[in-house]
């Protein structure tokens, strides 16, 4: 499908890096709320009167929101660095993935990539399967729910804060997109 220039310009209003940044912040805010509610409820699978598995009721939702927050922030960096990713009135297939490491590899703007690969891998595992769906796509694609550990949470929060700060600095300088789009944002 092809879009005219007016449609493409309107699309940039929704697809510019600031909108991805805003969505990331909103998702992260919701993940914070869920994280603060951990430990208040759990579900236990019992077999023969013995607990086999215990799930914190907010683990899956926290994982998914954090993964989506990181995904949106990474896409903000990708689009900031390469405006052509949103130039045709659609999101380029190069960044339509939920695999965070693929997004990380598309941008040179984020720090500590190699050090934090494990965080991207952990969040992607939930983003791709168990946090989003109750099962894999088939019997060979089953990955069980992982726990959002304190170590992972602290690293994720540190990363999202660093990325948010850097993106705010970039957006404060301005962003020039296709079709004459220009935006410069202030943050208070």
């Amino acid at each position: 499908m092809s879009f005219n220039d007016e449609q493409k310009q309107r699309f940039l209003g929704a697809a510019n890096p600031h909108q991805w940044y805003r969505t990331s912040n909103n998702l992260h805010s919701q993940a914070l709320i869920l994280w603060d509610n951990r430990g208040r409820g759990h579900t236990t699978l019992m077999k023969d009167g013995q607990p086999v598995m215990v799930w914190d009721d907010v683990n899956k939702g926290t994982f998914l929101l954090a993964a989506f927050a990181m995904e949106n922030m990474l896409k903000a960096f990708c689009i900031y660095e390469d405006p052509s990713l949103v130039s045709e009135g659609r999101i380029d297939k190069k960044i339509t993935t939920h695999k965070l490491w693929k997004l990380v590899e598309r941008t040179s703007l984020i720090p500590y990539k190699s050090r934090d690969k494990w965080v991207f891998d952990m969040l992607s595992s939930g983003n791709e399967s168990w946090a989003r769906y109750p099962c894999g796509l088939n019997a060979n694609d089953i990955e069980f729910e992982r726990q959002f550990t304190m170590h992972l949470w602290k690293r994720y929060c540190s990363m999202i804060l660093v990325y948010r700060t850097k993106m705010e600095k970039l957006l404060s300088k301005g962003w020039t997109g296709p079709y004459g789009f220009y935006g410069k944002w202030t943050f208070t």
Side-chain angles (χ1 to χ4, degrees):
M1 176 178 270
S2 180
F3 300 100
N4 64 40
D5 286 352
E6 182 184 328
Q7 290 171 309
K8 291 175 185 178
Q9 288 173 350
R10 208 170 52 241
F11 178 75
L12 285 171
N16 66 68
H18 176 256
Q19 295 296 358
W20 292 92
Y21 158 89
R22 284 187 63 226
T23 301
S24 173
N25 281 343
N26 181 271
L27 291 163
H28 177 64
S29 294
Q30 298 306 308
L32 287 169
I33 292 167
L34 279 183
W35 178 260
D36 287 342
N37 284 295
R38 72 192 186 291
R40 293 187 183 173
H42 65 277
T43 303
T44 305
L45 172 62
M46 304 292 286
K47 284 193 179 176
D48 299 324
Q50 297 297 315
V52 175
M53 179 77 88
V54 178
W55 296 272
D56 188 293
D57 289 343
V58 301
N59 184 68
K60 188 180 274 202
T62 305
F63 225 104
L64 191 59
L65 287 168
F68 282 163
M70 186 61 75
E71 178 183 329
N72 277 266
M73 187 63 76
L74 292 172
K75 288 178 180 180
F77 280 105
C78 291
I79 293 164
Y80 186 91
E81 191 168 356
D82 183 0
S84 73
L85 294 170
V86 291
S87 66
E88 295 302 316
R90 69 178 59 83
I91 302 166
D92 192 293
K93 290 182 191 250
K94 294 173 189 167
I95 62 166
T96 57
T97 183
H98 301 296
K99 293 181 177 161
L100 301 181
W101 189 248
K102 285 191 176 202
L103 295 171
V104 169
E105 290 178 324
R106 292 215 42 86
T107 180
S108 64
L109 295 174
I110 63 167
Y112 314 118
K113 288 182 187 183
S114 297
R115 181 193 74 190
D116 295 330
K117 185 177 187 313
W118 70 275
V119 177
F120 299 122
D121 290 344
M122 286 293 290
L123 293 175
S124 288
S125 76
N127 206 11
E128 288 287 312
S129 63
W130 60 262
R132 182 186 300 242
Y133 310 114
C135 62
L137 296 176
N138 59 59
N140 291 326
D141 186 26
I142 295 174
E143 187 170 336
F144 294 100
E145 182 175 337
R146 297 182 183 180
Q147 294 301 307
F148 214 132
T149 65
M150 181 63 76
H151 179 60
L152 176 59
W153 178 255
K154 285 181 178 180
R155 187 77 232 130
Y156 155 76
C157 286
S158 173
M159 291 166 66
I160 206 83
L161 177 62
V162 167
Y163 297 168
R164 182 172 66 196
T165 301
K166 183 157 187 180
M167 182 51 64
E168 287 175 0
K169 287 180 183 175
L170 292 170
L171 292 170
S172 294
K173 293 177 185 175
W175 181 73
T176 302
Y179 306 100
F181 183 96
Y182 178 77
K184 185 176 183 178
W185 294 267
T186 59
F187 302 90
T188 55

